[in-house]
Amino acid sequence: MKIKDIFKQKTVFSFEVFPPKKTSSIDTVYNTLDELKGLSPDFISVTFSAGGSGNGALSCEIASKIKEGNHVEPMIHLPCINYSKDEISAVLDELDKRGIENILALRGDINPDIEPKRNFEHASDLITFIKSKGDYDIAGACYPEGHVDSESLVEDVLNLKKKVDAGADHLITQLFFDNDAFYRFREKIAIAGINVPVEAGIMPVVNKNQIERMVSMCGASLPAKFVKMMQKYENNPEALRDAGIAYAINQIVDLLADGVDGIHLYTMNNSYVAKKISDAVSGLIGSRKK
Ligand code: FAD
């Protein structure tokens, strides 16, 4: 099923997983997926070569497991900056063979150790290419506080419009901790004429190192109450995890009350955390839109 059709029926609730590191067995993520399936997500997305790690083949295998083994709709992330057109075509052929029709089209992280192939400069170029190859559901990434490469949020929103005009059916945001930033962003994109569904990407903070790394990479702002929570519990991992779960639940409840199109949970392959959050909010998400 194409994910754009799920948005027509209900508020979407989805998860992100990533392939295991080269030193871990693929069974670790399969066990996580078995647990996530019980939470009835609308789809599960799987990252692809995040950070230029080059683990694309595993991502296709995991997407198949989501579809065939877990009977959940998969979405595969597809970054383009380090791939040629032929290589992207080969991935699309592989997806066709596996019956995977939902793609998150991305430029990809730039790895300083890899010279980009530059057959595609931006996600919008990839979207145009994918659309010329077949009938896929295409998502794009968006940045409530602006992408780090952009000089301003306005410039980034104008570029986002190009991505949507190229054919992105819906969008997923980068993580954010300040819902007001998301609401301001939604107003700006509406003014720019972007009216596809936008899922809010929520990352529960479960350890201090994780959040420092993520925030330094993406530049998300940290509200005072978030910083206070981190400072209070930074030396107590269990308390920090519980506080991080509670913070994410609060964010989600506020977003749902505001009528968000969907919630995409960055699970960090942690099914315990996903379950706690899912149990807390599933009654609010409901099954069908009126
Ligand atoms: P683009 O849309 O190309 O934007 C990049 C920059 O170029 C922005 O500053 C934008 O304003 C500008 N721009 C965009 N289009 C144009 C245009 N037509 N003309 C001029 N300027 C333009 N990376 C991975 O490697 N693997 C993953 O699995 C992965 N998953 C992700 C999932 C989500 C939900 C998100 C938010 C990000 C993910 N990333 C992943 C990271 C992503 O690849 C990086 O954030 C990357 O820096 C930008 O990707 P993009 O698709 O948003 O790029």
Side-chain angles (χ1 to χ4, degrees):
M1 184 181 195
K2 290 197 168 62
I3 290 167
K4 65 181 168 198
D5 293 327
I6 308 178
F7 281 104
K8 291 177 193 156
Q9 298 171 3
K10 67 186 287 289
T11 307
V12 168
F13 188 56
S14 58
F15 297 141
E16 178 190 283
V17 298
F18 51 77
K21 293 203 170 70
K22 285 182 184 135
T23 46
S24 306
S25 150
I26 196 163
D27 288 336
T28 57
V29 70
Y30 286 175
N31 293 339
T32 302
L33 288 172
D34 288 342
E35 286 160 10
L36 293 180
K37 176 200 167 175
L39 308 179
S40 308
D42 291 303
F43 71 89
I44 299 179
S45 81
V46 52
T47 68
F48 189 110
S49 198
S53 60
N55 58 1
L58 255 189
S59 303
C60 292
E61 219 173 300
I62 294 168
S64 279
K65 160 75 177 170
I66 293 168
K67 189 177 176 72
E68 304 302 336
N70 300 116
H71 307 291
V72 174
E73 203 52 54
M75 169 192 274
I76 189 134
H77 298 201
L78 185 55
C80 59
I81 191 79
N82 294 322
Y83 296 97
S84 67
K85 287 189 174 173
D86 286 349
E87 286 167 323
I88 294 289
S89 293
V91 176
L92 294 176
D93 289 345
E94 184 67 32
L95 297 180
D96 291 347
K97 264 190 248 155
R98 294 173 184 268
I100 295 163
E101 53 184 347
N102 300 297
I103 300 174
L104 174 55
L106 297 155
R107 183 193 73 183
D109 288 326
I110 298 194
N111 181 334
D113 300 328
I114 301 173
E115 182 61 29
K117 293 214 169 135
R118 298 208 181 277
N119 279 205
F120 307 93
E121 282 295 328
H122 293 292
S124 50
D125 305 325
L126 176 65
I127 292 173
T128 304
F129 185 74
I130 294 173
K131 283 191 87 69
S132 74
K133 292 285 176 180
D135 180 25
Y136 300 94
D137 177 279
I138 305 176
C142 63
Y143 303 83
E145 296 173 83
H147 185 268
V148 284
D149 292 354
S150 285
E151 298 216 330
S152 67
L153 182 54
V154 169
E155 180 192 301
D156 200 35
V157 168
L158 293 174
N159 289 331
L160 184 62
K161 176 80 165 87
K162 293 180 198 162
K163 183 148 55 180
V164 172
D165 287 348
D169 297 301
H170 46 102
L171 300 169
I172 302 180
T173 74
Q174 187 174 63
L175 65 95
F176 61 90
F177 301 107
D178 177 3
N179 284 3
D180 286 339
F182 175 77
Y183 299 139
R184 287 193 295 270
F185 172 71
R186 263 198 333 200
E187 280 172 14
K188 285 194 177 65
I189 64 172
I191 291 166
I194 296 171
N195 48 27
V196 296
V198 182
E199 259 190 300
I202 298 296
M203 178 172 286
V205 176
V206 289
N207 74 61
K208 191 167 168 260
N209 292 346
Q210 163 214 353
I211 200 59
E212 281 172 352
R213 201 180 59 245
M214 290 295 171
V215 169
S216 74
M217 272 169 67
C218 73
S221 61
L222 302 179
K225 64 180 175 182
F226 183 90
V227 174
K228 211 195 299 179
M229 171 188 90
M230 295 282 294
Q231 285 169 347
K232 171 103 179 152
Y233 301 116
E234 64 183 340
N235 297 318
N236 181 343
E238 253 181 44
L240 182 61
R241 181 199 64 196
D242 290 350
I245 290 171
Y247 191 94
I249 291 170
N250 272 334
Q251 263 194 290
I252 294 170
V253 171
D254 182 61
L255 289 161
L256 291 172
D258 201 79
V260 72
D261 296 312
I263 301 290
H264 189 63
L265 199 63
Y266 295 109
T267 70
M268 305 300 288
N269 291 8
N270 186 329
S271 56
Y272 171 86
V273 171
K275 180 165 177 9
K276 288 275 178 198
I277 294 172
S278 182
D279 286 351
V281 303
S282 59
L284 310 180
I285 287 173
S287 52
R288 297 261 154 185
K289 260 189 184 161
K290 289 200 184 126

